[in-house]
Amino acid sequence: VQLVESGGGAVETGGSLRLSCAASLHTYSGNCMGWFRQPTGKDYEGVASLDPFHGATNYADFVKGRFTISKDKDKNILYLHMNNLKVEDTSMYYCAGAPLVHSPLEPYEYNYWGQGTQVTVS
């Protein structure tokens, strides 16, 4: 499984970005997918997840109402729509996948990781 993130960049407070995660064929049909972030000097944080079978989503409290996870299964792309960005959202963002997870926002449960894309909010 290969995951490649894109869409990061620099944005002002209150702005929006859309992150994309391109995956190899059929990745999203059988894997739980998630977005995570790792601020400089800090641990990984679960941001959002998407269950492949029921479409259920989970969000960290600090992004609820601002971020939305979605996928385009025809294009094998996972998205993270980020609105009303805050300075504290500044981080490297990663997408990740796993065939089975019990805690969707726990990074240690995920097997496949992309290389990350940087988001900077000022």
Side-chain angles (χ1 to χ4, degrees):
V1 175
Q2 270 196 316
L3 303 173
V4 180
E5 302 95 334
S6 62
V11 65
E12 293 184 348
T13 299
S16 299
L17 283 174
R18 186 184 73 172
L19 304 184
S20 300
C21 177
S24 46
L25 193 62
H26 301 310
T27 296
Y28 299 136
S29 62
N31 288 283
C32 183
M33 302 301 300
W35 284 99
F36 298 85
R37 69 187 189 186
Q38 186 181 29
T40 302
K42 297 184 178 181
D43 290 335
Y44 285 96
E45 301 175 329
V47 175
S49 69
L50 178 63
D51 175 277
F53 303 110
H54 306 103
T57 56
N58 287 280
Y59 294 95
D61 287 343
F62 51 79
V63 302
K64 283 181 180 177
R66 300 189 299 125
F67 291 11
T68 303
I69 187 171
S70 66
K71 69 177 180 181
D72 184 328
K73 62 179 181 179
D74 293 330
K75 297 181 180 178
N76 291 307
I77 299 177
L78 182 74
Y79 298 105
L80 184 67
H81 305 264
M82 305 187 296
N83 297 315
N84 191 22
L85 283 161
K86 305 176 181 180
V87 172
E88 50 265 42
D89 294 319
T90 295
S91 184
M92 185 71 81
Y93 283 75
Y94 301 87
C95 72
L100 179 65
V101 299
H102 298 288
S103 301
L105 296 180
E106 287 293 341
Y108 69 84
E109 295 220 27
Y110 286 76
N111 308 95
Y112 318 116
W113 290 80
Q115 84 291 346
T117 185
Q118 178 68 37
V119 171
T120 302
V121 186
S122 59

